[in-house]
Amino acid sequence: SDIPESEQLDISESGENNAILLAISTILQGRDDVAGLSEFLANISSDIREDGILDNPNYSTKLINNAKLLDLPTIRDNLENRYTELGMNITLPEFEYYLNTFINSTDYIFTSFIEYPDSTNYGLNILFPERDTIQAKNYYSMSADLPMGTSLKIVLRKKVGFVDITDFHWGVITSSPGPLNWDISLHHSDNPYSTYTVEGTGLTADLKISFQNRTDCRLDIEYYENESETPSNVKTLTIIGRH
């Protein structure tokens, strides 16, 4: 109640009130274009008109989904670069604090989870969270379903110290239909690994993969969801060797 009306605030200036305005603006817009934002604001206005309470769970869920999937460093960089282009020397407020306060305190329900199906047409999915053992020299899938606004990077890394890793390698089937929506980078070093990144959003990613090892081997699978710099999850997959 002690914050001035939004028309009197300025997101290009420091200060708590300006930070709150910028946090609210980014949460409302999310990844929508201008038309999408206008429609969302109209829906919220209609919902809260009678009692000031947001009753529609679809709208509240969209708010928390927006907030948790925003790339805050990029937002700050984009705004600062835009004001620089306009020849303005500005100090953006610390909006990140208030956005994270909303994320940590709201009871709105987040739904934009990346899903890892049990299997696809390519076979059992090695990314399925409960799968911890497979057989060598069979075909498997590596699949994920990404809601709009999400991103994913997967790193497959040979488990050092468990077995002679020169006996252990894997291959992705590139013949038609080949990998779907995965960008693949291979790395060769003392601890070989490969990286698989989804280029885009709101996509299903899939590929066909096979492991070649005569003795039992272990593979660490690192999940980096929504541009996280540290793994969101790491699981160890045991591949039973076959001659």
Side-chain angles (χ1 to χ4, degrees):
S1 60
D2 60 344
I3 297 177
E5 293 182 351
S6 60
E7 292 84 354
Q8 302 177 42
L9 301 177
D10 188 341
I11 65 170
S12 68
E13 296 182 359
S14 60
E16 178 183 31
N17 295 338
N18 296 325
I20 291 172
L21 174 62
L22 183 51
I24 291 173
S25 299
T26 57
I27 292 169
L28 285 169
Q29 181 155 8
R31 294 173 180 264
D32 286 344
D33 57 17
V34 174
L37 172 61
S38 297
E39 180 181 359
F40 188 38
L41 287 173
N43 290 336
I44 290 178
S45 177
S46 176
D47 184 284
I48 67 176
R49 181 171 292 120
E50 295 298 325
D51 57 9
I53 299 173
L54 190 64
D55 298 305
N56 190 317
N58 292 327
Y59 304 155
S60 58
T61 290
K62 180 175 172 62
L63 289 172
I64 186 60
N65 286 351
N66 283 356
K68 293 192 72 171
L69 296 176
L70 289 171
D71 182 351
L72 302 189
T74 297
I75 291 172
R76 176 171 285 277
D77 288 344
N78 288 343
L79 284 169
E80 290 176 342
N81 290 338
R82 179 55 179 161
Y83 280 113
T84 298
E85 291 173 359
L86 296 173
M88 298 174 61
N89 184 19
I90 57 97
T91 301
L92 284 181
E94 299 298 323
F95 73 98
E96 297 91 343
Y97 170 81
Y98 294 98
L99 193 145
N100 286 319
T101 296
F102 168 66
I103 290 174
N104 295 328
S105 62
T106 185
D107 57 2
Y108 294 164
I109 299 174
F110 179 76
T111 60
S112 289
F113 294 101
I114 298 174
E115 301 289 342
Y116 304 96
D118 177 70
S119 62
T120 72
N121 292 335
Y122 288 154
L124 296 177
N125 183 14
I126 66 170
L127 300 183
F128 183 63
E130 284 74 36
R131 179 153 294 112
D132 58 11
T133 304
I134 61 173
Q135 293 280 341
K137 300 188 178 180
N138 290 338
Y139 289 118
Y140 296 91
S141 70
M142 194 173 82
S143 180
D145 296 321
L146 284 76
M148 289 298 298
T150 60
S151 64
L152 177 64
K153 179 177 74 174
I154 296 292
V155 175
L156 304 186
R157 195 184 304 273
K158 296 181 180 183
K159 188 104 175 156
V160 176
F162 181 73
V163 73
D164 180 3
I165 59 177
T166 60
D167 177 51
F168 175 32
H169 60 276
W170 56 87
V172 172
I173 309 304
T174 57
S175 57
S176 180
L180 176 66
N181 295 320
W182 287 114
D183 181 66
I184 304 172
S185 298
L186 302 178
H187 308 266
H188 301 281
S189 63
D190 292 338
N191 181 21
Y193 66 99
S194 55
T195 301
Y196 307 80
T197 306
V198 181
E199 298 295 332
T201 182
L203 300 171
T204 292
D206 201 0
L207 56 76
K208 191 174 185 180
I209 192 168
S210 180
F211 297 87
Q212 306 298 316
N213 47 284
R214 294 185 297 273
T215 57
D216 295 356
C217 295
R218 287 181 180 172
L219 180 77
D220 278 341
I221 302 180
E222 302 169 1
Y223 302 70
Y224 295 82
E225 296 183 343
N226 304 321
E227 302 184 9
S228 171
E229 295 182 358
T230 58
S232 311
N233 182 40
V234 179
K235 79 167 186 177
T236 299
L237 185 69
T238 299
I239 300 98
I240 305 300
R242 292 176 59 182
H243 290 281

